[in-house]
Amino acid sequence: MSDETGAGKLDSFSRELFQELFSPAGEKSPAAQQEIVEVTDLLQKAREQDLTQPIVNLFRLLRRIRKEKGQTPRDLGVEESDLLQLAVKHQQIDEHEVTIGGRVLKALSIVEDANARAMAYMQEHPKAAPSGIELWDRIRENQERIKKVLGMKQEDWDSFSGQLRFAIESVKTLSGILDLPENAVTDIQRVTSQYRMRLTPYYTSLIMPGAVNDPVLLQSVPTGEMIDNVGEEIPPVAADHSPARLIDQFYPRVATIKATNMCGMYCTHCLRIAHIGKKDRIYSKQAYQEALDYIRNNPGIRDVLVTGGDAFVLPNDLLRWLLQELDQIEHVRLKRMGSRIPVTTPQRIDSELLDILEQSNDQKPLRVVTQINTAQEITPVSRETFRQISKRVSAVLNQAVLLRGINDTRTKMWKLCETIQEAHVRPYYVFNCSYRNPQFSHLRVPVPVGQDIIESMYGNVSGDAIPRYIATAGGKIPLHRSNVAGRAGSDIVLKKPWSGEEVKYPDASEEDHSNADFSFARYVE
Ligand SMILES: *Cc1c(COP(=O)(O)O)cnc(C)c1O
Ligand code: SF4
């Protein structure tokens, strides 16, 4: 390439592109007539139109023909000077002065590689992990069937009290709705004499009849493993983390008020299985007062989590009072409420509750922390509920539990995180299922499997849809593997989480960093 043609003006990416196109090939095979017609056609368009696309298409076609047939542009009647003019024109048209070499050699192949990574997911997810939005027609059919079996009127269905009144607590009722294997029915009977089962009719409608190990069924209906899994009894979490009545605390700045032991439904994987869902208990004002006193007397506490059980099973008046009390404590700066009810019983979220949330959020930021484990749990109804909540509070965050057969593949977890993000909920944590409760050890997933799943999300989904992977072992401990592979001189060697490819990252010097004499300090005598 000679400088008289203007090649010297090109950036290094474009020079590389020109070299690739014009270098003589060892073996050649003739270009197809159609390819020649296409080249001529694109060349004309690229010259006539003030657009980048025909120029890019021309270069891509020439590059393919050179690669596959060994034909240079000149062999096809296109001169280097023609292409140089187009290269300059491309850069002039583009608002960000992207060069033809940068776009064709780099950007487009980076995007193609990225697309290839997501391809398997795109093909798999509608079948492997359908959302409740995608399954809505079938869920609606389920709802009609359940209403008929239980004798529910539409107004019962649409109200929280109706959902609780008709909640399914016996295997007899459940088997009238779902076609369960006979030996499963016997086993569930055996388990439910010891552990409580409760599904709201709404949550039951998310179960797809006929699906073995349906992910919603697994979360809500206990199997024989729950009592067969006798392991070492470890005392309930509260035993080593509760410094005061109703309080759990293991961080200096965050405390939890377990404001109730009731939930809209009972989960097979419940960490608090020891005191949740055994027997509904209404707590006394005195208990709440003692919890509030503890927070009042500990000025280090700035963030208070109201949880349970499920905070939203509490009556509106009590929630309003509790939030007002917390807002009046000077050192409490933020609040959170933990609730699965928007997913299990969205009928609970009435306008009065929304007003209470907004009023408290106006005082000091309030977040709602929920638990959604599969995309199947997001329906048009729960999505609308989350949309309404998200307008009234600072953030709606999700804490999922990584569960065997439920969300333990890349596709299922990506789909969960993308679906909730589209439903106004931000993925926050994914917990590795706890070792403390032998009852649900059959639902546990090995740590490396979870690491692979979470790491696969980097570079593939929106950054704010990627949760942190956590083990609970006397506080929350991040389970991420390090992506810092080592050091090479002044560079840090980094590993790309999605491919394992290593890249060098020039680091700032520690010597410079420890020197305070920089910027404005340098002007001071
Ligand atoms: C999870 C938890 C918290 C909150 O932890 P964050 O990391 O701030 O979300 C606080 N207290 C207890 C007892 C907890 O279990
Ligand atoms: S909603 Fe939470 S506290 Fe209630 S049963 Fe499920 S996991 Fe346990």
Side-chain angles (χ1 to χ4, degrees):
M1 231 180 324
S2 57
D3 254 44
E4 299 97 81
T5 57
K9 286 189 219 131
L10 295 178
D11 71 306
S12 64
F13 294 148
S14 303
R15 282 205 301 274
E16 193 185 324
L17 176 61
F18 273 76
Q19 252 148 28
E20 187 189 308
L21 290 176
F22 285 96
S23 62
E27 265 181 57
K28 287 190 188 190
S29 59
Q33 186 55 36
Q34 208 206 311
E35 289 170 330
I36 299 170
V37 172
E38 233 178 298
V39 167
T40 317
D41 185 44
L42 275 174
L43 181 63
Q44 196 187 345
K45 277 199 187 126
R47 280 178 174 150
E48 285 171 3
Q49 300 176 356
D50 272 341
L51 293 172
T52 56
Q53 201 56 54
I55 303 176
V56 170
N57 289 346
L58 175 65
F59 275 88
R60 294 183 90 186
L61 177 61
L62 291 171
R63 194 168 173 235
R64 185 168 61 74
I65 297 175
R66 171 66 187 75
K67 211 184 262 170
E68 289 172 7
K69 309 267 168 82
Q71 305 278 340
T72 68
R74 202 167 284 126
D75 298 331
L76 305 165
V78 182
E79 286 307 317
E80 198 175 323
S81 56
D82 295 329
L83 292 183
L84 279 167
Q85 268 176 14
L86 292 176
V88 171
K89 179 175 169 183
H90 180 278
Q91 193 174 347
Q92 280 169 350
I93 296 172
D94 191 273
E95 283 71 12
H96 297 161
E97 296 178 30
V98 175
T99 64
I100 190 69
R103 185 154 280 152
V104 170
L105 282 190
K106 305 289 167 186
L108 283 166
S109 47
I110 289 172
V111 170
E112 274 161 22
D113 278 0
N115 284 342
R117 287 204 307 271
M119 218 46 204
Y121 169 70
M122 300 289 285
Q123 281 165 358
E124 251 179 59
H125 80 76
K127 274 212 137 110
S131 71
I133 296 163
E134 289 155 354
L135 293 170
W136 187 233
D137 286 343
R138 293 181 62 193
I139 292 171
R140 293 259 298 270
E141 282 171 31
N142 294 344
Q143 296 187 346
E144 289 315 310
R145 193 165 37 80
I146 294 168
K147 270 190 265 180
K148 215 176 275 165
V149 173
L150 298 179
M152 282 178 90
K153 298 201 205 75
Q154 187 59 39
E155 66 204 64
D156 297 324
W157 188 274
D158 291 336
S159 77
F160 184 53
S161 61
Q163 287 288 333
L164 290 191
R165 208 151 16 94
F166 287 90
I168 297 152
E169 308 207 349
S170 80
V171 66
K172 190 157 161 277
T173 316
L174 186 68
S175 49
I177 291 170
L178 296 170
D179 208 6
L180 298 163
E182 213 170 291
N183 45 0
V185 173
T186 324
D187 243 14
I188 298 166
Q189 189 105 48
R190 187 162 65 94
V191 177
T192 46
S193 64
Q194 208 163 322
Y195 293 105
R196 194 160 162 187
M197 175 176 79
R198 169 148 86 187
L199 296 88
T200 57
Y202 168 82
Y203 197 71
T204 312
S205 75
L206 309 185
I207 299 171
M208 291 298 121
V212 179
N213 279 349
D214 176 276
V216 176
L217 179 71
L218 282 179
Q219 289 180 64
S220 49
V221 178
T223 52
E225 288 141 311
M226 275 190 82
I227 35 184
D228 298 340
N229 285 342
V230 275
E232 198 189 336
E233 262 312 315
I234 301 171
V237 174
D240 44 348
H241 292 303
S242 183
R245 199 168 173 187
L246 303 192
I247 299 279
D248 271 355
Q249 188 182 11
F250 38 64
Y251 300 125
R253 308 286 275 154
V254 192
T256 299
I257 307 180
K258 293 167 293 175
T260 171
N261 77 332
M262 297 185 278
C263 293
M265 69 165 285
Y266 296 110
C267 308
T268 51
H269 55 275
C270 180
L271 187 73
R272 303 190 192 276
I273 198 161
H275 56 112
I276 301 300
K278 284 263 149 150
K279 188 165 176 285
D280 291 348
R281 282 186 60 193
I282 308 290
Y283 298 167
S284 66
K285 233 2 191 290
Q286 213 167 33
Y288 295 120
Q289 286 294 8
E290 274 198 60
L292 288 166
D293 284 344
Y294 176 81
I295 293 167
R296 252 179 232 117
N297 295 332
N298 284 276
I301 299 172
R302 71 181 270 277
D303 187 1
V304 176
L305 231 154
V306 180
T307 170
D310 194 306
F312 288 169
V313 295
L314 293 171
N316 287 341
D317 287 346
L318 182 61
L319 288 177
R320 183 189 293 111
W321 172 77
L322 209 51
L323 287 169
Q324 281 173 351
E325 289 292 309
L326 289 172
D327 283 329
Q328 277 166 26
I329 302 172
E330 169 72 20
H331 57 265
V332 172
R333 303 294 164 83
L334 306 145
K335 297 96 52 189
R336 282 184 249 186
M337 305 208 96
S339 176
R340 252 205 118 173
I341 275 187
V343 199
T344 64
T345 330
Q347 293 78 7
R348 161 68 178 98
I349 313 303
D350 53 32
S351 60
E352 192 181 46
L353 175 60
L354 292 169
D355 289 344
I356 292 168
L357 299 180
E358 182 175 357
Q359 278 155 18
S360 178
N361 187 55
D362 283 344
Q363 299 298 313
K364 295 170 185 180
L366 172 66
R367 298 94 91 209
V368 168
V369 183
T370 191
Q371 186 199 135
I372 313 161
N373 296 319
T374 59
Q376 195 165 321
E377 289 160 278
I378 293 291
T379 65
V381 176
S382 51
R383 179 180 57 186
E384 171 60 16
T385 303
F386 281 122
R387 187 184 71 81
Q388 290 181 2
I389 297 173
S390 72
K391 290 204 295 192
R392 307 296 193 99
V393 298
S394 297
V396 185
L397 306 170
N398 188 46
Q399 302 187 335
V401 186
L402 183 63
L403 295 163
R404 180 174 171 199
I406 292 173
N407 53 19
D408 57 348
T409 67
R410 290 182 175 198
T411 296
K412 289 174 183 176
M413 187 58 75
W414 292 22
K415 183 66 176 280
L416 166 66
C417 293
E418 291 192 350
T419 306
I420 64 173
Q421 192 186 31
E422 290 162 26
H424 308 266
V425 178
R426 285 217 314 260
Y428 176 37
Y429 283 146
V430 167
F431 292 119
N432 191 257
C433 189
S434 173
Y435 67 93
R436 287 185 77 126
N437 304 74
Q439 295 93 331
F440 48 71
S441 58
H442 60 290
L443 295 175
R444 296 192 71 205
V445 176
V447 168
V449 173
Q451 287 175 319
D452 173 75
I453 291 171
I454 302 302
E455 281 164 21
S456 76
M457 297 177 80
Y458 283 86
N460 287 322
V461 303
S462 307
D464 63 334
I466 305 175
R468 290 172 238 178
Y469 183 33
I470 301 287
T472 304
K476 296 181 177 72
I477 303 175
L479 286 170
H480 297 267
R481 278 187 284 235
S482 172
N483 292 298
V484 180
R487 208 171 232 292
S490 61
D491 290 343
I492 297 277
V493 181
L494 298 179
K495 193 167 61 78
K496 294 190 178 183
W498 56 90
S499 64
E501 184 199 339
E502 289 192 349
V503 285
K504 281 190 180 161
Y505 179 82
D507 198 9
S509 112
E510 287 183 29
E511 196 185 319
D512 286 351
H513 179 246
S514 58
N515 180 0
D517 191 24
F518 73 103
S519 292
F520 287 93
R522 296 171 68 221
Y523 300 120
V524 180
E525 296 282 310

